[in-house]
């Protein structure tokens, strides 16, 4: 098998069939053997039925359908797809046709024509999004590159074509909180970038709200950096220093100038200041502890309800 397409699908009933057709159109002519691994991530619409239909009506195509027992998120869907991908090269691609099969073909060609290259990553120079969102994403990349031990390339997507050895490396990372941009960087290998422009979504709507994206960004920072824990230490240290200095200033004022301090205001200020810092740092520590807690429970990354696979 030359290629495995991993296609995470969540509420994509109107897209999967067209995705399949378009990809067939592009890759039929290539003369490579390939398979599809559709992962139905607990869709609430009829994606499951559409996929089963696709599976049953295309006996000549190598299609695997993994149906999750509920929605586990795209990251888990990618992981399940990787577990079922038997190809020498693997392509992770969205079902909504924002990531065109034609681009995937260019990526495949690049991968096969450059033997030293292990992974081709599609990246968007220009994004179809508002100024505020762009600025937020830019800030996120600045921040995470400051604090994480690996490099995150701005605009790099999880639309990737890579060799089987990259898949094997990723499967060695069974962490529960998955942040694929970080995971791809972490495993290393020779990554090359191809510029692409995401198309409009074929049908349905994006599952990413600004709030979900924000949570995902925080999750990414926590997964790949312990810097926030050090921030807690630094802030704690600074505030202690501040209080010691302030104590001596007050003492000197009292002893030399006999100035009476307005006690209540000062006390109120100090209490709010320090309890704020305490809560903030406890919060950061709590974030990490909650991750440790979830990881030690050792829960699987997903539960498959049903797997359809050609023998
Ligand atoms: N997806 C998924 N599980 C989810 C959310 C999304 O498998 O919980 C899939 C979705 O079906 C699509 C891909 O991930 O194939 C990208 O999702 P989406 O188009 O919503 O993201 P965007 O393109 O807006 O970043
Ligand atoms: Mg999309």
């Amino acid at each position: 098998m030359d290629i495995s397409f991993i296609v995470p699908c969540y509420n994509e009933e109107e897209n999967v069939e067209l995705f399949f057709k378009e990809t067939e159109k592009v890759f039929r002519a290539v003369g490579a053997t390939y398979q599809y691994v559709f992962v139905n991530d607990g869709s609430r619409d009829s994606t499951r039925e559409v996929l089963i239909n696709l599976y049953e009506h295309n006996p000549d195509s190598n299609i695997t359908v993994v149906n999750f027992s509920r929605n586990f998120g795209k990251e888990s869907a990618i992981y399940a797809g990787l577990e079922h991908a038997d190809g020498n090269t693997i392509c992770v691609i969205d079902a909504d046709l924002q990531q065109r099969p034609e681009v995937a073909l260019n990526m495949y060609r690049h991968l096969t024509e450059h033997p030293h290259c292990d992974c081709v990553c599609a990246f968007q120079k220009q994004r179809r999004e508002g100024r505020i969102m762009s600025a937020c994403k830019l800030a996120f990349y600045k921040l995470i590159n400051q604090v994480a031990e690996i490099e995150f390339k701005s605009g790099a997507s999880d639309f990737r074509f890579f060799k089987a050895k990259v898949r094997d490396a990723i499967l060695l990372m069974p962490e529960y909180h998955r942040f694929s941009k970080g995971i791809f960087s972490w495993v290393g290998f020779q990554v090359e970038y191809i510029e692409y422009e995401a198309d409009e979504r074929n049908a349905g709507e994006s599952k990413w709200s600004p709030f979900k994206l924000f949570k995902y960004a925080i999750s990414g920072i926590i997964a790949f950096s312990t810097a926030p824990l050090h921030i807690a230490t630094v802030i704690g240290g600074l505030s202690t220093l501040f209080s010691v200095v302030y104590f001596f200033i007050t003492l000197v004022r009292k002893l030399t100038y006999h100035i009476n301090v307005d006690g209540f205001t000062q006390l109120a200020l100090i209490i709010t200041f320090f309890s704020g810092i305490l809560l903030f740092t406890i919060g950061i520590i709590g974030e990490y502890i909650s991750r440790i807690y979830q990881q030690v429970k050792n829960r699987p990354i997903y539960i498959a309800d049903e797997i359809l696979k050609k023998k």
Side-chain angles (χ1 to χ4, degrees):
M1 182 84 59
D2 297 319
I3 306 168
S4 301
F5 291 104
I6 295 178
V7 195
C9 310
Y10 178 54
N11 297 345
E12 305 283 6
E13 58 180 5
E14 292 170 88
N15 294 326
V16 279
E17 224 156 315
L18 188 67
F19 167 83
F20 177 71
K21 271 195 200 132
E22 301 270 303
T23 313
E24 283 292 293
K25 238 195 286 176
V26 174
F27 275 85
R28 263 282 142 83
V30 177
T33 49
Y34 52 92
Q35 68 166 163
Y36 296 88
V37 183
F38 289 101
V39 184
N40 173 27
D41 184 13
S43 300
R44 290 165 195 277
D45 62 1
S46 62
T47 303
R48 180 180 188 151
E49 287 70 34
V50 176
L51 284 174
I52 292 175
N53 191 44
L54 203 68
Y55 172 81
E56 282 170 353
H57 287 89
N58 294 281
D60 298 335
S61 302
N62 190 331
I63 299 177
T64 298
V65 179
V66 181
N67 273 307
F68 280 5
S69 58
R70 64 167 172 87
N71 179 245
F72 281 91
K74 183 181 180 183
E75 301 283 348
S76 305
I78 293 176
Y79 189 84
L82 289 173
E83 283 187 322
H84 289 92
D86 309 316
N88 295 327
T89 63
I90 292 106
C91 176
V92 176
I93 184 166
D94 287 356
D96 57 10
L97 286 166
Q98 281 192 289
Q99 304 175 340
R100 298 293 313 170
E102 291 84 355
V103 180
L105 179 58
N106 286 339
M107 292 160 78
Y108 179 64
R109 292 223 166 100
H110 188 95
L111 193 62
T112 46
E113 284 162 15
H114 298 79
H116 62 277
C117 173
D118 301 315
C119 176
V120 183
C121 169
F123 90 100
Q124 276 179 274
K125 212 169 195 177
Q126 220 104 52
R127 285 208 187 89
R128 291 166 196 265
E129 59 195 10
R131 281 223 187 115
I132 297 175
M133 186 55 94
S134 281
C136 286
K137 286 190 179 170
L138 202 71
F140 166 74
Y141 281 106
K142 276 232 168 88
L143 179 68
I144 198 161
N145 278 320
Q146 285 283 323
V147 298
E149 72 254 43
I150 46 172
E151 204 200 323
F152 290 78
K153 189 173 167 68
S154 167
S157 63
D158 44 20
F159 181 20
R160 288 174 188 248
F161 226 118
F162 47 90
K163 289 181 179 163
K165 58 181 175 183
V166 179
R167 172 205 58 204
D168 297 341
I170 294 174
L171 287 175
L172 287 177
M173 299 176 74
E175 53 204 76
Y176 185 79
H177 287 277
R178 305 188 72 76
F179 187 69
S180 58
K181 279 188 215 311
I183 289 173
F184 275 113
S185 299
W186 196 89
V187 295
F189 295 107
Q190 189 63 42
V191 184
E192 284 173 11
Y193 296 89
I194 277 193
E195 203 182 314
Y196 91 113
E197 211 177 300
D199 260 25
E200 292 294 341
R201 204 168 216 290
N202 176 56
E205 51 192 50
S206 170
K207 282 96 203 170
W208 292 98
S209 63
F211 180 65
K212 257 181 126 177
L213 266 180
F214 178 71
K215 262 176 57 185
Y216 186 63
I218 298 285
S219 194
I221 292 175
I222 287 178
F224 284 92
S225 162
T226 49
L229 279 176
H230 305 313
I231 294 176
T233 323
V234 171
I235 293 182
L238 283 179
S239 57
T240 314
L241 193 71
F242 171 81
S243 59
V244 169
V245 171
Y246 198 64
F247 170 76
F248 279 111
I249 291 175
T250 319
L251 200 67
V252 169
R253 273 158 54 110
K254 180 85 185 146
L255 291 181
T256 54
Y257 306 108
H258 305 288
I259 297 171
N260 269 332
V261 241
D262 172 6
F264 178 77
T265 324
Q266 289 202 349
L267 218 57
L269 267 174
I270 289 171
I271 287 173
T272 48
F273 180 65
F274 288 104
S275 47
I277 286 174
L278 274 176
L279 285 175
F280 179 70
T281 48
I282 289 172
I284 292 178
I285 293 164
E287 287 294 322
Y288 282 88
I289 290 178
S290 75
R291 260 92 178 153
I292 297 170
Y293 173 62
Q294 276 179 346
Q295 192 66 48
V296 295
K297 278 192 291 194
N298 224 347
R299 287 189 179 158
I301 295 163
Y302 67 91
I303 299 287
D305 172 15
E306 164 196 49
I307 298 167
L308 306 174
K309 194 169 188 162
K310 298 250 157 71
K311 293 281 167 315

